Amino acid sequence: TALDDVTVLTVATEENDGFKRFLRSAKTYDIDVQVLGQGEKWEGGDMNFPGGGQKVNLLKEKVEELMKTKENDHIVMFTDSYDVMFLGTLGDILVKFKAMPDTRVLFSAEPFCWPDPKLAAMYPNAEVTNPYLNSGGFIGYLSELNAILNARKIKDNEDDQLYYTKVYLSELRDSLKISLDHKSEIFQNLNGALSDVQLRINTTEEWPYLENVATKQRPLVVHGNGPAKLMLNTMGNYLAKSWSMKKGCALCAERKIQLNEDNLPHVMLAIFIEVATPFVEEFFESVLLLDYPKNRVHLILRNNVPFHEPYVDEFYNKYAKEYATAKRIKPIDYMSEAEARNLAKDRCTNSMCDYLFSVDSVARLKPQTLRVLLTSGYDVIAPMLARPGQAWSNFWGAINASGYYARSTDYMDIVYGSIRGVWNVPFITNCYLVKMELFHTPKGQEVTYVKDDVDPDMAFCNSLRSIGVMMYVNNEEDLGHLVNHENFDVSRTHPDVYQVLDNKMEWERRYLHKEYLANFIDGQKPKMPCPDVYWFPLMSPRFCKEWIDIMEAYGKWSDGSNNDKRLEGGYEAVPTRDIHMNQVGLERQWLHILKEYVRPLQEMVFTGYYHNPPVSIMNFVVRYRPDEQPSLRPHHDSSTYTINLALNTPNEDYTGGGCHFLRYNCSVRDTRLGWLLMHPGRLTHYHEGLPVNSGTRYIMISFVDP
Amino acid sequence: TALDDVTVLTVATEENDGFKRFLRSAKTYDIDVQVLGQGEKWEGGDMNFPGGGQKVNLLKEKVEELMKTKENDHIVMFTDSYDVMFLGTLGDILVKFKAMPDTRVLFSAEPFCWPDPKLAAMYPNAEVTNPYLNSGGFIGYLSELNAILNARKIKDNEDDQLYYTKVYLSELRDSLKISLDHKSEIFQNLNGALSDVQLRINTTEEWPYLENVATKQRPLVVHGNGPAKLMLNTMGNYLAKSWSMKKGCALCAERKIQLNEDNLPHVMLAIFIEVATPFVEEFFESVLLLDYPKNRVHLILRNNVPFHEPYVDEFYNKYAKEYATAKRIKPIDYMSEAEARNLAKDRCTNSMCDYLFSVDSVARLKPQTLRVLLTSGYDVIAPMLARPGQAWSNFWGAINASGYYARSTDYMDIVYGSIRGVWNVPFITNCYLVKMELFHTPKGQEVTYVKDDVDPDMAFCNSLRSIGVMMYVNNEEDLGHLVNHENFDVSRTHPDVYQVLDNKMEWERRYLHKEYLANFIDGQKPKMPCPDVYWFPLMSPRFCKEWIDIMEAYGKWSDGSNNDKRLEGGYEAVPTRDIHMNQVGLERQWLHILKEYVRPLQEMVFTGYYHNPPVSIMNFVVRYRPDEQPSLRPHHDSSTYTINLALNTPNEDYTGGGCHFLRYNCSVRDTRLGWLLMHPGRLTHYHEGLPVNSGTRYIMISFVDP
Ligand SMILES: O=C(O)CCC(=O)C(=O)O
Ligand SMILES: O=C(O)CCC(=O)C(=O)O
Ligand SMILES: [Fe+2]
Ligand SMILES: [Fe+2]
Ligand SMILES: [Mn+2]
Ligand SMILES: [Mn+2]
Ligand SMILES: [Mn+2]
Ligand SMILES: [Mn+2]
């Protein structure tokens, strides 16, 4: 048969994302598909229930028309469209079809007898892997197909698969030579077949392909029937030459669009602060730095956390006027999250706004993010954002039976960027761009964030999925990350400084000394103000200030006596007026600072000494004052090495002070804000705290590896 | 009454030590005593049993004689002599006696009704403290006494006390006005009264005195009756102006004699090595150094310990000829200790030898000791020798009921030298001088070291006590000390070097570096070959040699691999070829060396670091050889400070070697025998052992305070 002796047919009354994917796959393999029912109203019922008789009637009409012009050995292939992709050429399909013994019509096969399980008993050989007929794909000679379609009458809302099944189970099976593709030589139905089917990505082949490992076949048509359509969405990211190991995301390239810089789209930037969020200052900074003209941006600023209101105020007062329009929702508006999100969407729908750009305060965006999303060409697209170094991200690769997060096989690869592209996923949150056109259709108007017992973002994604709108996440390049708000405790003074474990990136930027990294420049000799006493920039001025604020807010300085209930032995031979880190909930954080930032300095200068993590039981801020305790008598520390961080500045905040090392008759008096002294603790560096003459001196001390 | 109207009488058939003490006490208080029975044979029986009728008959005779010349109001006082001392003048005695109401004769009183307890029922007032008559002392008017003595007949071997008791219990009590000194106003019997009686030494009075704390009396005659005679021996050291806090030992001064240098006494020097003894070399050295011409000394050298025989051989061969005579008893003579000691005594008795000087190998004598003892004027005298710093000595201050050691109240004062003098004690051992005359009397010939189930020295002292010979110990000056042989284990190689805990004095002299003490000279700057690396002379060359010998004799050097079963973790990252101190039983000793000799150096140089005792788990000798393990790669030690003692000498015993401190780019190559390097272990002093090119380098290492 020549290829023009084959007619490929499908039915589609809508042009949704699934249909577009179907057409693209046909085009990929040069398959010319005739679409039946375009522009017609669908009467076939909800896809999740029996129905689809309309497909049979549309096909019957078309086949009768072909009977008039075509030979009897003309071949017709029919497939569903929204949940189907071609995986090979028509030539390959015909070769396989013609090689089938005693077959004039071949239906795809599946493991479930649906929609009427009682019919299972009537099937001839129920022992094969996929015993039952599926009507999502079939191929056959024109005359036999015509006979099948004229066997009985079917209403548009009756079930198509039941129709064909009854034909197959009648005497027509033998007379018309109807077979089932039990081995998925051509048709692969995914429902119930997930353990048989494998997506092969990293092979010697140029493009990923599907393999039925049970039958050793490479199917040429894949059908994400029933609940398997989410699996097809995932596989669709790779199949039909969408993505390859070598070429990356071919599909992304096809879809990219250009922006007209003279007429840039209007974007509704909807900011949501729903939870107390670490480093909100840095969040607003990243928003301000988005590379997009603010006069094309409409701002909605929703804050539901009283703790953040002062800073939100500051930001809004300063910057709202730069945006095209601006609106604010405050904690005292008592609006639920879902309502607020709906409000933003509706405000966008009802205005001349082209895109909704929804950004939660936990999202931290690169300046280019908005433009990257706009030019991607997808309707609903999120930048891939993850908590640095963690699996937690703003999308789900799969969804489990109860609608919640499940891990897809490629989830970690996408999060860690070991594969890059734009990925069809079932759930996105925290930050995404939505094309507003979507919401202008009747179905689009039903999309909502409000659903009982379901989080607003889940409700939103659920409703997009239910109208056949696909969501994508973009990790073509690094577009930002998420902060972790889980342990953010706003009852603390300066809670951000507590975040070193949870939000390292922000914490380092704000609190590490700007010259900290320069400590490690090769060939540079570290400062040594006294023998074996090193001196390093460690913490930023802001860190020092906040650290002091925390201590003074807490206020319970020890009394400087030898009796100290905080210590195991209850006795301190060389007492200071101090506050221990565990009294202000900073113990874990400080130990982490020791491990992450102090230890590498130690390893650099005290060659060969390696103790990871550093152990330190005594971590405290000391306060020296002329009228309280001005100095500290000579002593050793119970440490391998001691660190002594200057939290404020001599001759500015106080006069006098400093540390004197008696065996070397050497003092460090001109200590520097945020700089760390590091000295051996136990044996050689007998030392004393020199008297403070005026003002208050604060230092942070740790006895490391006691 | 004038004093010459009193006659003081006693009975003594022998002139033993107790009698001499009695006479001296009388002389001290100017009391003129007439002694009855002198030169006569004693028929009164054993002092420990009833008897003494002879005393009554001798007295009766004397009193009848006095009746002829004296007035009726002449007063007669009678006391025992061997176990009695006067504590005051006759004047004081008369004043008290005359003040007694209704009394013409006063007998001393005691708490036991002896020798016939059945008579107790006949006593008039048995409720008083000392209800019963004692005949060891009484005073009365001549005529009444005469009546008492003529009341009945008594045989020499019948009991005197029973005689007087029967008189007292008859109608004569009232008619002759006989009273008992219940309150010990004059007479103090010690037996049964020890809790009433206190020896007052450290008072405002010039001389010690006896006080009856129950009756608040100061008795004027003390009687060590029965078993209390040992107590009297102790008290006699102080009473009757024998000794005072201020004047010290007045008695010693009285007894001292001068030697005739032209005719010095012959001394039998009897040396006994009965037990394996630490530092025997030093023992013989002290013997050789005794300040006495060897030609007046007869040597008996008895060794019963095969381990010592080689050195005894050496000594004997070299020095025996210098002595007047010399005899040797060897282990192979299979002679018991008691026999050997008897042999020495008898050899002395049967020759022209004046003194026996018995010296055990545990005794360490000052050169002057023999002369000090010879000139002391005592017949049996030991130098006070004690284990340094311990209570263990060569004498007992008291004896318990079973004849063994008991502590006297002054024992520790004598041992520690807080009181000095010559002390009457019931037992001496290890070293003593005996005047041979003693053994020429019939009783003296019974003295022996042999007694079943009793140690030879106890047997000897027992038999001296039983013949009334008193033993003395001299602590007027320091005459030497004892070594401690208890933990001396001759199965070890060089067992003496194991003795640092038990025999510090000898150990230090032999094994400490001769410049060790010079380390501590004020104002001297300790050597510092590299920054914070100190260098001290610590151990003697002999120590180093023996230490190496011990390791090589043991021989089980580790294999230099990372797996080391001797360690808790089983893993050593930087292995050496070594032997740990606990493998050769030197762990406790070495830790003691750390504490006693290394720690003070550390405290001197690493100011303010105090850790006592030093803790060290890793203590080992390392062996470097070109063909085995020549060097040690850079590392830190798990120590606060490390010590590294050179056990042999570069360019003599090996070439190459030394310790290189990488952070300071500084090496110590010219290490010195017995010198210690001390350096911080953990943080600053990254170091390596430099390669040995030829020979073998040995070092002793400790990781102190890990
Ligand atoms: O005042 C100083 O810089 C020394 C403080 C110190 O030594 C200590 O807290 O242990
Ligand atoms: O060879 C040396 O002197 C150094 C030995 C040493 O560092 C060690 O045993 O830990
Ligand atoms: Fe300190
Ligand atoms: Fe070492
Ligand atoms: Mn259907
Ligand atoms: Mn379908
Ligand atoms: Mn008697
Ligand atoms: Mn007596």
Side-chain angles (χ1 to χ4, degrees):
Chain A
T1 322
L3 289 185
D4 35 338
D5 273 349
V6 183
T7 302
V8 181
L9 297 172
T10 192
V11 167
T13 53
E14 280 183 55
E15 300 207 355
N16 60 23
D17 287 337
F19 179 66
K20 287 181 203 152
R21 174 179 62 190
F22 173 76
L23 286 190
R24 183 194 164 278
S25 74
K27 198 168 156 227
T28 299
Y29 295 106
D30 268 335
I31 300 173
D32 196 19
V33 185
Q34 290 182 42
V35 182
L36 309 178
Q38 263 179 316
E40 290 185 23
K41 190 172 182 306
W42 178 249
E43 307 284 359
D46 184 318
M47 299 285 193
N48 293 317
F49 296 95
Q54 192 175 4
K55 288 196 276 180
V56 181
N57 289 326
L58 287 166
L59 180 59
K60 181 170 162 188
E61 197 180 327
K62 178 68 186 176
V63 164
E64 280 164 4
E65 184 194 315
L66 290 174
M67 288 289 283
K68 292 176 191 154
T69 55
K70 303 290 183 186
E71 304 292 311
N72 271 1
D73 65 348
H74 186 77
I75 290 176
V76 171
M77 180 160 97
F78 178 87
T79 66
D80 285 357
S81 65
Y82 305 155
D83 53 3
V84 167
M85 287 175 80
F86 290 106
L87 306 180
T89 63
L90 209 44
D92 291 344
I93 292 169
L94 288 181
V95 168
K96 283 196 169 176
F97 173 59
K98 294 216 171 153
M100 303 234 169
D102 244 5
T103 299
R104 299 285 296 175
V105 176
L106 180 74
F107 276 87
S108 73
E110 64 158 299
F112 305 112
C113 185
W114 198 86
D116 184 358
K118 290 193 302 295
L119 297 181
M122 298 176 61
Y123 270 86
N125 45 359
E127 294 77 33
V128 297
T129 313
N130 296 302
Y132 310 112
L133 179 144
N134 176 286
S135 62
F138 48 92
I139 185 170
Y141 290 93
L142 182 58
S143 56
E144 279 82 353
L145 269 181
N146 191 41
I148 287 169
L149 293 166
N150 284 295
R152 301 196 288 114
K153 284 228 147 99
I154 177 171
K155 292 187 187 146
D156 277 357
N157 65 352
E158 287 179 325
D159 190 69
D160 60 337
Q161 184 152 305
L162 188 62
Y163 177 89
Y164 295 115
T165 301
K166 284 181 174 165
V167 170
Y168 178 72
L169 295 177
S170 72
E171 71 293 341
L172 291 179
R173 176 170 73 244
D174 286 344
S175 59
L176 296 175
K177 297 195 166 152
I178 310 175
S179 297
L180 301 188
D181 187 7
H182 293 299
K183 295 191 170 164
S184 302
E185 291 177 62
I186 296 171
F187 299 106
Q188 178 68 58
N189 291 300
L190 290 178
N191 194 23
L194 292 184
S195 52
D196 292 347
V197 160
Q198 285 206 342
L199 181 65
R200 299 289 189 193
I201 296 175
N202 198 356
T203 68
T204 54
E205 310 256 327
E206 188 173 359
W207 296 103
Y209 59 86
L210 208 61
E211 180 177 339
N212 187 314
V213 293
T215 64
K216 310 265 181 273
Q217 295 292 325
R218 286 202 202 173
L220 300 167
V221 177
V222 60
H223 179 205
N225 53 326
K229 67 168 167 279
L230 290 181
M231 180 51 58
L232 183 65
N233 287 354
T234 298
M235 291 177 169
N237 287 324
Y238 302 89
L239 294 172
K241 305 187 181 175
S242 297
W243 189 94
S244 90
M245 215 64 189
K246 218 183 269 166
K247 302 221 168 93
C249 190
L251 180 59
C252 306
E254 293 168 21
R255 295 191 69 157
K256 285 223 166 69
I257 58 172
Q258 289 239 323
L259 297 182
N260 179 351
E261 291 296 327
D262 298 330
N263 190 20
L264 284 172
H266 288 264
V267 174
M268 173 73 67
L269 170 60
I271 292 176
F272 296 92
I273 308 178
E274 299 299 333
V275 291
T277 305
F279 297 98
V280 148
E281 294 176 39
E282 284 76 359
F283 170 71
F284 281 110
E285 196 184 324
S286 82
V287 165
L288 284 174
L289 287 173
L290 281 174
D291 170 25
Y292 206 75
K294 294 198 176 45
N295 61 12
R296 305 298 274 186
V297 175
H298 303 268
L299 178 68
I300 284 203
L301 175 44
R302 138 78 171 191
N303 172 31
N304 201 28
V305 181
F307 170 79
H308 289 308
E309 201 54 12
Y311 193 80
V312 169
D313 239 39
E314 199 180 317
F315 171 84
Y316 195 83
N317 294 338
K318 199 156 169 198
Y319 296 107
K321 53 186 171 298
E322 297 183 14
Y323 290 92
T325 68
K327 178 178 167 54
R328 194 169 161 198
I329 308 169
K330 299 184 181 188
I332 48 157
D333 293 331
Y334 295 113
M335 193 181 289
S336 76
E337 178 183 346
E339 285 167 338
R341 292 190 186 272
N342 265 354
L343 183 147
K345 175 177 71 67
D346 295 343
R347 191 173 158 91
C348 200
T349 319
N350 303 331
S351 69
M352 46 167 282
C353 127
D354 305 303
Y355 289 91
L356 172 65
F357 189 37
S358 177
V359 183
D360 294 353
S361 55
V362 294
R364 300 306 150 95
L365 304 178
K366 293 276 171 87
Q368 72 271 30
T369 302
L370 177 53
R371 273 180 188 273
V372 166
L373 299 182
L374 284 167
T375 57
S376 67
Y378 290 84
D379 292 350
V380 182
I381 186 161
M384 200 293 291
L385 306 177
R387 292 184 184 164
Q390 291 184 27
W392 184 279
S393 76
N394 67 329
F395 77 96
W396 297 348
I399 278 187
N400 65 18
S402 27
Y404 282 94
Y405 172 85
R407 190 168 275 191
S408 62
T409 51
D410 57 3
Y411 178 78
M412 296 308 301
D413 291 336
I414 296 171
V415 169
Y416 288 143
S418 36
I419 59 178
R420 294 199 171 268
V422 176
W423 311 94
N424 187 334
V425 294
F427 176 80
I428 57 179
T429 184
N430 294 144
C431 177
Y432 42 80
L433 184 75
V434 183
K435 195 168 186 179
M436 288 318 289
E437 269 177 24
L438 284 184
F439 303 117
H440 297 145
T441 65
K443 276 187 174 176
Q445 283 165 26
E446 287 158 27
V447 171
T448 178
Y449 286 92
V450 181
K451 191 173 170 189
D452 280 355
D453 303 328
V454 166
D455 286 347
D457 49 2
M458 280 183 61
F460 178 67
C461 295
N462 283 352
S463 60
L464 287 180
R465 286 199 308 275
S466 71
I467 64 165
V469 173
M470 290 176 181
M471 289 157 267
Y472 293 86
V473 70
N474 184 338
N475 81 337
E476 285 187 291
E477 64 185 287
D478 178 13
L479 297 173
H481 66 276
L482 298 178
V483 298
N484 178 354
H485 66 276
E486 280 164 28
N487 305 307
F488 189 59
D489 179 359
V490 299
S491 72
R492 299 285 185 191
T493 307
H494 298 308
D496 287 334
V497 88
Y498 285 75
Q499 286 292 306
V500 62
L501 286 133
D502 300 283
N503 292 293
K504 178 179 155 92
M505 196 178 280
E506 278 73 18
W507 191 93
E508 289 187 354
R509 234 191 63 184
R510 192 193 279 183
Y511 293 122
L512 271 192
H513 198 288
K514 64 184 189 306
E515 286 160 42
Y516 174 75
L517 283 178
N519 285 316
F520 299 97
I521 290 171
D522 250 9
Q524 173 187 273
K525 236 179 119 71
K527 289 200 175 24
M528 194 194 278
C530 292
D532 287 337
V533 178
Y534 291 98
W535 208 9
F536 304 109
L538 179 73
M539 305 310 298
S540 70
R542 179 156 179 184
F543 175 94
C544 298
K545 183 198 169 299
E546 294 188 3
W547 211 252
I548 294 174
D549 286 350
I550 290 168
M551 303 310 143
E552 291 295 0
Y554 174 73
K556 296 181 191 145
W557 298 91
S558 63
D559 63 4
S561 77
N562 293 115
N563 300 318
D564 192 337
K565 286 187 195 132
R566 300 168 301 177
L567 310 183
E568 206 173 310
Y571 185 86
E572 169 59 61
V574 191
T576 45
R577 304 269 179 165
D578 54 39
I579 291 171
H580 288 199
M581 288 310 97
N582 56 16
Q583 296 179 276
V584 290
L586 278 171
E587 177 100 339
R588 279 179 64 234
Q589 286 82 348
W590 180 253
L591 291 179
H592 189 76
I593 292 172
L594 288 184
K595 177 180 161 71
E596 292 295 306
Y597 307 111
V598 174
R599 185 180 53 83
L601 296 170
Q602 174 269 300
E603 287 173 12
M604 180 172 62
V605 294
F606 293 123
T607 324
Y609 182 73
Y610 179 80
H611 200 281
N612 190 7
V615 173
S616 183
I617 298 153
M618 296 284 285
N619 305 286
F620 51 95
V621 168
V622 182
R623 179 167 86 176
Y624 291 111
R625 287 181 170 181
D627 59 351
E628 204 179 60
Q629 171 167 351
S631 65
L632 188 60
R633 72 167 170 83
H635 64 283
H636 279 299
D637 304 324
S638 55
S639 71
T640 297
Y641 62 93
T642 293
I643 59 169
N644 181 330
L645 174 71
L647 294 177
N648 59 354
T649 308
N651 300 320
E652 224 168 82
D653 303 309
Y654 60 90
T655 61
C659 190
H660 176 63
F661 297 94
L662 287 84
R663 276 185 69 253
Y664 305 94
N665 191 18
C666 177
S667 298
V668 185
R669 287 199 172 81
D670 55 338
T671 55
R672 302 183 194 177
L673 185 64
W675 283 58
L676 179 79
L677 288 172
M678 178 183 286
H679 64 81
R682 193 189 299 286
L683 185 71
T684 48
H685 285 68
Y686 200 55
H687 60 283
E688 66 185 323
L690 296 169
V692 165
N693 305 318
S694 67
T696 303
R697 177 181 176 224
Y698 296 97
I699 52 177
M700 171 76 210
I701 298 281
S702 277
F703 299 158
V704 186
D705 300 336
Chain B
T1 322
L3 288 185
D4 34 342
D5 272 349
V6 182
T7 301
V8 180
L9 297 171
T10 191
V11 167
T13 53
E14 281 181 56
E15 300 208 356
N16 60 21
D17 287 339
F19 178 67
K20 287 182 202 150
R21 177 180 60 191
F22 172 75
L23 285 191
R24 183 194 165 278
S25 73
K27 195 168 161 231
T28 299
Y29 294 107
D30 269 334
I31 301 173
D32 194 17
V33 185
Q34 293 180 43
V35 182
L36 309 178
Q38 260 176 321
E40 291 186 21
K41 189 171 182 308
W42 179 247
E43 307 281 1
D46 185 318
M47 300 284 195
N48 295 316
F49 297 95
Q54 193 176 1
K55 288 195 279 181
V56 181
N57 290 327
L58 286 166
L59 181 59
K60 181 171 161 184
E61 196 178 328
K62 179 70 185 175
V63 164
E64 279 167 2
E65 183 193 316
L66 291 173
M67 288 289 283
K68 294 177 189 148
T69 54
K70 305 290 182 187
E71 306 289 312
N72 270 1
D73 65 349
H74 187 76
I75 289 177
V76 171
M77 178 158 98
F78 178 87
T79 65
D80 285 354
S81 65
Y82 306 155
D83 53 3
V84 167
M85 288 175 80
F86 290 105
L87 305 180
T89 63
L90 209 46
D92 291 346
I93 293 169
L94 290 180
V95 167
K96 282 197 173 176
F97 171 62
K98 295 214 171 153
M100 305 239 170
D102 243 2
T103 299
R104 298 285 295 176
V105 177
L106 179 75
F107 277 87
S108 74
E110 64 158 300
F112 305 111
C113 185
W114 198 86
D116 184 359
K118 290 191 301 292
L119 297 180
M122 299 174 59
Y123 269 88
N125 47 357
E127 295 78 34
V128 296
T129 313
N130 295 302
Y132 309 113
L133 179 144
N134 177 286
S135 60
F138 48 91
I139 185 169
Y141 288 93
L142 182 58
S143 56
E144 279 81 354
L145 268 180
N146 191 42
I148 288 170
L149 292 165
N150 284 293
R152 302 198 288 118
K153 283 221 146 99
I154 178 169
K155 292 190 186 140
D156 277 357
N157 66 351
E158 287 179 323
D159 192 71
D160 60 337
Q161 184 152 306
L162 187 63
Y163 178 90
Y164 296 116
T165 301
K166 284 182 174 164
V167 170
Y168 177 72
L169 294 178
S170 72
E171 70 293 340
L172 291 179
R173 176 170 74 243
D174 286 345
S175 59
L176 297 177
K177 296 196 167 156
I178 309 176
S179 298
L180 302 188
D181 186 8
H182 295 298
K183 294 191 172 163
S184 302
E185 290 175 65
I186 296 170
F187 301 106
Q188 178 67 55
N189 291 300
L190 289 177
N191 193 23
L194 292 182
S195 52
D196 291 348
V197 158
Q198 284 204 344
L199 180 66
R200 299 290 189 193
I201 296 174
N202 198 0
T203 67
T204 53
E205 311 258 326
E206 190 174 357
W207 297 102
Y209 60 87
L210 208 60
E211 181 177 339
N212 187 314
V213 293
T215 64
K216 309 261 180 281
Q217 296 292 325
R218 286 201 202 174
L220 300 168
V221 178
V222 60
H223 180 204
N225 53 325
K229 70 167 166 281
L230 290 181
M231 180 51 57
L232 183 65
N233 287 353
T234 299
M235 290 176 170
N237 288 323
Y238 302 89
L239 294 172
K241 305 188 185 174
S242 297
W243 188 97
S244 89
M245 216 64 188
K246 221 185 265 167
K247 301 221 167 91
C249 188
L251 180 56
C252 307
E254 293 167 21
R255 296 191 69 154
K256 284 221 168 71
I257 58 173
Q258 287 237 324
L259 297 183
N260 178 349
E261 290 298 326
D262 298 330
N263 188 22
L264 284 172
H266 288 263
V267 175
M268 174 74 68
L269 170 60
I271 292 177
F272 295 91
I273 309 179
E274 299 298 333
V275 291
T277 306
F279 297 98
V280 147
E281 295 176 38
E282 283 77 357
F283 169 71
F284 282 108
E285 197 184 323
S286 82
V287 165
L288 285 174
L289 288 173
L290 280 175
D291 171 23
Y292 205 73
K294 294 197 177 47
N295 60 14
R296 305 296 275 185
V297 175
H298 303 267
L299 178 67
I300 284 204
L301 174 44
R302 137 77 169 194
N303 172 32
N304 202 28
V305 181
F307 171 79
H308 289 308
E309 199 55 11
Y311 193 79
V312 169
D313 240 37
E314 199 181 315
F315 172 83
Y316 195 82
N317 294 337
K318 199 158 170 195
Y319 296 106
K321 53 185 171 296
E322 298 184 15
Y323 289 93
T325 67
K327 178 180 166 53
R328 193 168 161 198
I329 308 169
K330 300 185 181 186
I332 49 158
D333 294 330
Y334 295 113
M335 193 180 288
S336 75
E337 178 183 345
E339 285 167 336
R341 291 188 187 273
N342 265 355
L343 184 148
K345 174 176 73 64
D346 295 345
R347 191 174 158 89
C348 201
T349 318
N350 303 330
S351 68
M352 46 168 281
C353 128
D354 304 302
Y355 290 91
L356 172 66
F357 189 37
S358 176
V359 183
D360 295 352
S361 55
V362 295
R364 301 305 149 95
L365 305 178
K366 292 276 171 87
Q368 72 272 30
T369 302
L370 178 52
R371 272 180 189 272
V372 166
L373 298 182
L374 284 168
T375 56
S376 67
Y378 290 84
D379 293 348
V380 182
I381 186 160
M384 201 293 291
L385 306 176
R387 292 185 185 165
Q390 290 184 30
W392 183 279
S393 76
N394 66 330
F395 77 97
W396 297 348
I399 279 188
N400 65 19
S402 27
Y404 283 94
Y405 173 87
R407 189 166 278 191
S408 62
T409 50
D410 56 3
Y411 179 77
M412 297 307 302
D413 290 336
I414 296 171
V415 169
Y416 289 143
S418 35
I419 61 179
R420 293 197 172 269
V422 176
W423 311 95
N424 187 335
V425 295
F427 176 81
I428 57 179
T429 185
N430 294 146
C431 178
Y432 42 81
L433 184 76
V434 183
K435 194 169 187 179
M436 287 318 289
E437 269 176 23
L438 285 184
F439 302 117
H440 296 146
T441 65
K443 276 187 174 177
Q445 283 164 26
E446 287 158 28
V447 171
T448 179
Y449 286 93
V450 181
K451 191 173 171 190
D452 280 356
D453 304 327
V454 167
D455 286 347
D457 50 2
M458 279 183 63
F460 179 67
C461 295
N462 284 351
S463 59
L464 288 181
R465 287 200 308 275
S466 72
I467 64 165
V469 173
M470 289 177 182
M471 290 156 267
Y472 294 87
V473 69
N474 183 338
N475 82 336
E476 285 186 290
E477 62 185 289
D478 178 12
L479 296 173
H481 65 276
L482 297 178
V483 298
N484 179 354
H485 66 277
E486 280 164 28
N487 305 306
F488 189 58
D489 179 358
V490 298
S491 71
R492 299 286 184 192
T493 307
H494 298 308
D496 287 335
V497 86
Y498 285 75
Q499 286 292 309
V500 61
L501 287 132
D502 299 284
N503 292 293
K504 178 180 154 94
M505 197 178 279
E506 278 72 21
W507 192 94
E508 288 186 354
R509 232 190 63 182
R510 192 193 281 182
Y511 294 123
L512 270 192
H513 197 289
K514 63 183 191 305
E515 287 160 41
Y516 174 74
L517 282 178
N519 285 316
F520 299 98
I521 290 172
D522 249 10
Q524 170 187 277
K525 234 177 121 71
K527 289 201 178 20
M528 195 195 278
C530 292
D532 286 337
V533 178
Y534 290 97
W535 208 8
F536 303 108
L538 179 71
M539 304 312 296
S540 72
R542 179 157 181 181
F543 176 93
C544 298
K545 184 199 168 297
E546 295 189 2
W547 212 250
I548 294 174
D549 286 349
I550 290 169
M551 303 310 143
E552 291 296 359
Y554 174 74
K556 296 182 190 142
W557 298 92
S558 63
D559 63 2
S561 76
N562 293 116
N563 300 318
D564 191 339
K565 284 187 197 131
R566 300 168 302 176
L567 310 183
E568 205 172 314
Y571 185 86
E572 169 58 61
V574 192
T576 44
R577 304 270 178 164
D578 54 40
I579 291 171
H580 288 197
M581 288 310 98
N582 56 17
Q583 296 179 274
V584 291
L586 279 171
E587 176 101 342
R588 278 180 62 234
Q589 286 81 348
W590 180 253
L591 291 178
H592 189 74
I593 293 172
L594 288 184
K595 178 180 161 71
E596 292 296 305
Y597 307 111
V598 174
R599 185 180 54 81
L601 296 170
Q602 173 270 298
E603 287 173 11
M604 179 173 60
V605 295
F606 292 124
T607 325
Y609 181 71
Y610 179 79
H611 200 280
N612 191 5
V615 174
S616 183
I617 299 153
M618 297 283 284
N619 306 286
F620 51 95
V621 168
V622 182
R623 178 167 86 175
Y624 292 111
R625 288 182 169 181
D627 59 350
E628 203 180 61
Q629 173 168 349
S631 64
L632 188 60
R633 71 167 171 79
H635 65 281
H636 279 298
D637 305 324
S638 56
S639 71
T640 297
Y641 63 94
T642 292
I643 59 168
N644 181 331
L645 173 70
L647 294 177
N648 58 354
T649 308
N651 300 319
E652 223 169 85
D653 302 309
Y654 59 89
T655 62
C659 190
H660 176 63
F661 297 93
L662 287 84
R663 277 184 68 251
Y664 304 95
N665 191 21
C666 177
S667 297
V668 186
R669 285 198 174 80
D670 54 339
T671 55
R672 303 184 194 176
L673 185 64
W675 282 59
L676 178 82
L677 288 172
M678 179 183 285
H679 64 81
R682 194 189 300 283
L683 185 71
T684 49
H685 285 67
Y686 200 54
H687 61 285
E688 65 185 324
L690 296 170
V692 166
N693 305 317
S694 68
T696 304
R697 175 182 178 225
Y698 296 97
I699 52 178
M700 171 77 212
I701 297 282
S702 276
F703 298 159
V704 187
D705 299 337

